[in-house]
Amino acid sequence: MYTLTNPATGDLVEEVPNATDEEIQAAIERVHTGYASWRQRSVAERAKIVSRAAELFAERADELAETMTLEMGKRVNEGRGEIGVVVDIFDYYADNAADLLADEPMSVKGGEAVIVKQPIGALLGVMPWNFPCYQVARFVAPNLVLGNTIVLKHASICPRSAAAIEKVLHDAGVPDDVYVNLFASSRQIPSIIADDRIAGVSLTGSENAGIAVAAEAGKHLKRTVLELGGSDPLLVLDTDDIDETVKATATSRMRNCGQSCNAPKRMIVLADIYDDYVDRLVKHVPDQFVPGDPGDPKVKFGPLSSVSAADEVAGQVAKAVEQGATLRTGGKRVDGPGAFLEPTVLTDVTPEMDAYREEIFGPVIVVYRAADDDEAVAIANDSPFGLGASVWGTDPERNRRVAERIEAGMVYLNSAGGSQADLPFGGIKRSGIGRELGPAGIEEFMNKKAIRL
């Protein structure tokens, strides 16, 4: 069952039954059949439809933002910002389709060759709740331009976003048999992946979900893209304005109530400014991030996506304190209805504690002290995850040198947790496989066919 419960109030809003096995088979057949004609359309025609989708997302930004607020508690202003990124992604692939899909001539031993870029077939997308529109866009926009077709299973708490996205795409001119929204259950995913009519699968979600999908896809030799968890480090080497650094780094962590895979979850601060940074952070966080109605544009901090999510994060904080960490502020559930949790700062987390290794998917900042750049890098790399990272400091060359030593798929300098349409997004280690966005994002489910002339 797809269940929409308002996380700000705890009220049950809507329930949508799961698709039957027969409906799933029909959906797979639709996108399998639709692929034959969609792939034959010109790149320019597909790009025009994707461009129209960008226009419709922009026109419906308020409606989509309000839906996300209702479903998973995203602040309405953040929802509008998310749709802005969605528009950028669809525009990027529409505007650059001709160049991204152009043939690549090659000189080879004994003659010439050409790389022809073609789609591979019908794809399955399994999407999460934390960015209900953006993460769908990362998968859908490049593959529609390329000529693949899509059946999409959204998160079970986001039925209205799922339906709204499908309507935008169909209204833009995407045929009904090219993009199909499917209210499938998790137990039905293996059979979809196993189906010979499905050529690949993209999942954004938890580490455990990624392991399950990768195992099933590997069993059936299907291409995969997995964007999983992260415990991104944020290294503060020095600063000429510590108040501004505290404000910027805390804001980057608390965005989306801390429920971002590439949010900076571990602040690693050099010893000479560590005490000052922590003192100011502990004062700043409870003052600036006061839980409130996510539908009110003045509110800076909303609920987590569900009561169970809030309980899980509160439990992780309590376990860390029990194991010896220092709770500097927050850490408790807010009295009353809804999935609210106090913004939290932890220090003195050591490698023996669960919080040192695990991802905390909520509004919790863990701060570490490092003696120098070398120790900061060592702490940053001592993690099973490798999604993103950021380095903050006043010396650009020093920042760059440190960034090159960090084990991650993405590193930002003096900013954190970013994403943009033309820049590849993805990680290493247990943070996933493959890339989305940018030129790399259109190649994951592409047949780069070599033709020897």
Side-chain angles (χ1 to χ4, degrees):
M1 184 72 71
Y2 279 61
T3 304
L4 195 171
T5 301
N6 185 339
T9 64
D11 295 334
L12 176 64
V13 178
E14 182 180 8
E15 292 183 327
V16 178
N18 289 331
T20 65
D21 292 342
E22 291 75 19
E23 288 170 335
I24 287 175
Q25 287 300 309
I28 295 173
E29 182 59 26
R30 280 172 60 191
V31 293
H32 174 67
T33 303
Y35 173 67
S37 58
W38 183 245
R39 68 171 301 181
Q40 294 302 325
R41 296 204 189 189
S42 69
V43 172
E45 186 177 359
R46 294 195 298 261
K48 184 177 180 180
I49 292 172
V50 169
S51 179
R52 178 57 181 156
E55 293 174 354
L56 292 182
F57 274 113
E59 290 174 10
R60 301 176 190 179
D62 288 346
E63 171 193 340
L64 291 163
E66 289 167 5
T67 297
M68 289 187 278
T69 298
L70 180 64
E71 287 179 326
M72 51 73 61
K74 187 183 297 289
R75 293 192 302 112
V76 69
N77 285 345
E78 288 184 323
R80 294 189 186 104
E82 177 174 336
I83 299 304
V85 180
V86 169
V87 172
D88 288 345
I89 292 169
F90 276 83
D91 275 338
Y92 169 78
Y93 284 108
D95 294 345
N96 295 280
D99 291 337
L100 293 171
L101 299 179
D103 294 348
E104 293 182 6
M106 297 178 62
S107 294
V108 296
K109 185 176 181 180
E112 302 293 327
V114 64
I115 302 297
V116 178
K117 301 173 182 179
Q118 297 177 334
I120 65 171
L123 307 176
L124 168 66
V126 183
M127 296 292 115
W129 49 260
N130 58 329
F131 290 92
C133 294
Y134 156 71
Q135 287 175 300
V136 173
R138 291 193 324 202
F139 168 58
V140 168
N143 282 297
L144 288 179
V145 163
L146 175 58
N148 292 318
T149 58
I150 294 163
V151 59
L152 193 126
K153 180 241 181 295
H154 214 312
S156 61
I157 68 171
C158 297
R160 291 191 182 178
S161 289
I165 291 167
E166 183 181 52
K167 182 165 176 52
V168 166
L169 295 176
H170 290 172
D171 288 351
V174 176
D176 291 353
D177 57 0
V178 169
Y179 182 93
V180 177
N181 175 64
L182 190 60
F183 291 122
S185 68
S186 296
R187 70 168 182 81
Q188 293 167 315
I189 297 303
S191 65
I192 300 175
I193 296 173
D195 195 296
D196 288 340
R197 295 168 292 182
I198 296 294
V201 56
S202 177
L203 173 135
T204 299
S206 69
E207 182 182 350
N208 288 336
I211 290 169
V213 165
E216 199 65 37
K219 188 190 308 181
H220 298 284
L221 298 177
K222 303 292 178 74
R223 289 197 189 184
T224 58
V225 170
L226 304 174
E227 199 275 280
L228 309 178
S231 189
D232 289 11
L234 185 154
L235 285 63
V236 182
L237 307 182
D238 61 18
T239 178
D240 53 14
D241 187 340
I242 195 163
D243 284 322
E244 185 59 32
T245 299
V246 165
K247 178 182 176 181
T249 55
T251 298
S252 64
R253 175 60 179 122
M254 294 300 171
R255 187 176 296 119
N256 207 38
C257 201
Q259 299 168 120
S260 302
C261 53
N262 64 327
K265 301 180 177 74
R266 297 180 294 144
M267 311 299 191
I268 303 167
V269 184
L270 262 61
D272 56 345
I273 58 173
Y274 173 88
D275 290 332
D276 195 10
Y277 178 91
V278 170
D279 288 345
R280 293 170 190 256
L281 181 69
V282 169
K283 294 174 183 176
H284 177 79
V285 164
D287 178 59
Q288 292 298 312
F289 301 100
V290 179
D293 177 6
D296 183 347
K298 297 178 182 178
V299 168
K300 297 181 181 180
F301 188 72
L304 278 80
S305 63
S306 66
V307 169
S308 61
D311 287 343
E312 180 178 355
V313 174
Q316 289 177 291
V317 172
K319 183 70 173 292
V321 173
E322 178 186 328
Q323 292 177 336
T326 301
L327 179 64
R328 297 296 187 117
T329 187
K332 297 183 177 63
R333 289 291 312 279
V334 176
D335 291 338
F340 293 95
L341 178 74
E342 296 172 344
T344 302
V345 176
L346 287 172
T347 60
D348 305 312
V349 172
T350 62
E352 298 77 25
M353 302 175 190
D354 293 353
Y356 188 86
R357 301 285 175 191
E358 66 190 6
E359 177 181 25
I360 301 179
F361 208 64
V364 179
I365 300 174
V366 182
V367 191
Y368 297 85
R369 182 197 302 266
D372 51 28
D373 293 4
D374 289 342
E375 186 177 16
V377 171
I379 296 171
N381 291 340
D382 190 15
S383 170
F385 298 104
L387 186 56
S390 61
V391 179
W392 297 63
T394 58
D395 182 344
E397 290 303 317
R398 180 188 183 190
N399 293 348
R400 172 70 181 268
R401 289 195 303 270
V402 170
E404 290 181 352
R405 298 170 62 192
I406 295 175
E407 297 169 355
M410 310 168 286
V411 183
Y412 290 79
L413 305 184
N414 288 318
S415 65
S419 176
Q420 61 189 67
D422 54 356
L423 187 68
F425 186 106
I428 59 173
K429 299 198 268 190
R430 300 185 78 85
S431 287
I433 299 168
R435 291 294 182 268
E436 296 178 302
L437 300 179
I442 203 168
E443 296 183 354
E444 293 290 350
F445 297 104
M446 174 189 288
N447 177 16
K448 301 183 77 171
K449 182 188 294 182
I451 300 178
R452 176 66 162 84
L453 303 178

